[in-house]
Amino acid sequence: MTMPHIAEVSADWVLDSRGVPTVEATVVLSDGRRSFAQAPSGASTGVHESLERRDHQSPRFGGRGVEGAVCAVRDEINGALVGMDVTDQEALDEALVVLDATEDRSRLGANAMVAVSAACARAGSEARGVPLWRHLAGERPATLPLPMVNLFSGNLHARGGMTIQDILVVPFNAPDQATSLEWAEGIYRSARLLLEKRSASTLVGDEGGFGAPSASSAACLALACEAIVGADLRPGVDVGLALDVAATHMVQSDGSYVLDGTTMSSQDMVTTIARWLEDYPIVSVEDPLGEDDWDGWRLAATTFDARVQLVGDDLLCTHLDRLERAAAAGCANAVLIKANQIGTLSEALAVGDRARDLGMRSVVSARSGETEDDWLADLAIASGAGQIKVGSVARSERLAKYNRLLRVARGPDAPPWAGDNGFGAIFERAE
Ligand code: 2PG
Ligand code: MG
């Protein structure tokens, strides 16, 4: 059977979950079928990320329009991809990379590229008549991922409150996907009750987590444990905590950090977070140091319990060369995978593959600016990463992904549940 080829690639702007324009790409196949995909967008972006192209010179949308990226899709990208086999995702992504021909994807724009890459993937899966996750997985060991669910946010995701960006709950002892989300919902509901009892705000941040109720990160960690207990679950046995410190955004011009109002050295940051690891059931720490503080990261890696997941987001930016450097220097044992930090789905999957080869874990992640599009859920399943970070169990741009996971889990030929990712073993020392 001959597969339909690409007849046209087009794009236009739509609005994301923060009301900011983003790129929606459409792929039209030779049999007339149309598939679309939308690009996500970060707030706490790293300098080493691929470039999101915005119309900074234009007054429209306050200089945040995406007309340039949209035109790149309609003109150059359309010209390059028309006629190609829609089922060959790697060749399509390679064509995008070659066409852009820059290190930082600044010519076409990573937002243009990721929207087209995802729209091609969706078109390819529909042409083959297989689910998107299966189309993307190829030979990879697809799994239903353990979610890291946002509970409290601060800093760039919810101004005011604590300076660390996110406190998340990880329902690692859940026996399946549905239970993991049911537990997360119970903890979220329990946290809301705790906040109401204290007459604290229940307004939510960009990812649906509650705006942090205290300027003290430790107090928020303690409250997260209370919320777990309030949901009749056991901290450190059923559910762990994860942190996205997002320390890049605490760095001062002299290289020091400001955490919860206190100026700190890298050593102080490591000491403070190591104390939290002793005091709270933390299974995963993301970006405890800044994006270029390699020595600080090395110190964190040698100080923290090696069983705790140490995740590079701004440090690694889903870039293979930075992953190799971190592995060689022993700076992190896990990588956060965000497709728009690099540009295409194939490159993002390749980073996950390489992490696996290096004995590192990976977590497939959404951005703080998201859309109703759910391709991320399929990417997470296909990658075999075993973990996904999408935000909280509130706000439909987050639920679109969780509900997609539930549909896949309940569908025919569901991939296996990833399970606890080894997190249960971290707390065996306490027994
Ligand atoms: C992060 C992400 C998602 P943003 O830092 O991990 O939480 O945030 O998309 O703002 O970079
Ligand atoms: Mg992060």
Side-chain angles (χ1 to χ4, degrees), residues 46-274:
V47 292
H48 304 291
E49 291 194 23
S50 294
L51 199 98
E52 184 180 73
R53 186 167 167 190
R54 296 211 176 261
D55 312 327
H56 296 298
Q57 307 308 323
S58 163
R60 285 182 73 202
F61 300 111
R64 305 193 70 193
V66 290
E67 207 51 41
V70 162
C71 287
V73 177
R74 290 183 187 161
D75 301 338
E76 281 197 66
I77 294 179
N78 178 56
L81 300 193
V82 163
M84 288 186 72
D85 174 1
V86 72
T87 61
D88 191 345
Q89 186 68 28
E90 287 193 3
L92 292 162
D93 286 340
E94 178 63 17
L96 288 172
V97 170
V98 169
L99 180 67
D100 175 77
T102 65
E103 277 292 309
D104 62 359
R105 312 297 154 78
S106 54
R107 223 176 59 72
L108 298 172
N111 44 349
M113 290 173 71
V114 81
V116 170
S117 178
C120 286
R122 187 166 275 137
S125 80
E126 284 166 7
R128 286 178 60 200
V130 298
L132 179 53
W133 62 268
R134 193 181 289 286
H135 175 57
L136 287 171
E139 300 300 309
R140 291 181 190 88
T143 51
L144 291 165
L146 174 65
M148 263 181 192
V149 181
N150 190 305
L151 194 63
F152 297 128
S153 280
N155 214 337
L156 296 181
H157 287 175
R159 292 286 185 181
M162 61 186 185
T163 42
I164 69 172
Q165 184 174 281
D166 301 293
I167 294 176
L168 307 96
V169 291
V170 185
F172 63 78
N173 199 32
D176 54 38
Q177 187 83 72
T179 309
S180 74
L181 292 168
E182 187 171 340
W183 286 6
E185 186 279 337
I187 298 164
Y188 189 74
R189 183 157 36 89
S190 153
R192 179 190 295 279
L193 281 176
L194 286 174
L195 295 176
E196 282 170 0
K197 259 193 227 152
R198 286 158 199 244
S199 302
S201 166
T202 51
L203 294 177
V204 300
D206 283 357
E207 301 193 357
F210 297 110
S214 167
S216 154
S217 303
C220 294
L221 284 164
L223 201 65
C225 288
E226 247 187 88
I228 295 169
V229 172
D232 287 331
L233 292 160
R234 297 165 295 176
V237 177
D238 297 316
V239 183
L241 299 178
L243 308 181
D244 185 358
V245 181
T248 300
H249 308 284
M250 300 175 188
V251 179
Q252 309 299 297
S253 52
D254 64 355
S256 65
Y257 295 84
V258 176
L259 172 62
D260 292 352
T262 306
T263 302
M264 294 194 177
S265 63
S266 304
Q267 170 76 64
D268 298 334
M269 289 287 285
V270 170
T271 306
T272 303
I273 296 166

Side-chain angles (χ1 to χ4, degrees), residues 14 47 125 151 168 184-185 212 248 289 295 317 331 378 395-396 414 418:
V14 292
V47 292
S125 80
L151 194 63
L168 307 96
E185 186 279 337
T248 300
L289 284 312
D295 292 342
C317 281
C331 286
D378 289 75
R395 296 185 55 140
S396 286

Side-chain angles (χ1 to χ4, degrees), residues 16 18 20-22 39-43 45 52 54 64 340 367-370:
D16 74 11
R18 283 192 277 246
V20 176
T22 190
S41 172
T45 50
E52 184 180 73
R54 296 211 176 261
R64 305 193 70 193
N340 74 332
R367 299 309 305 247
S368 51
E370 271 292 334

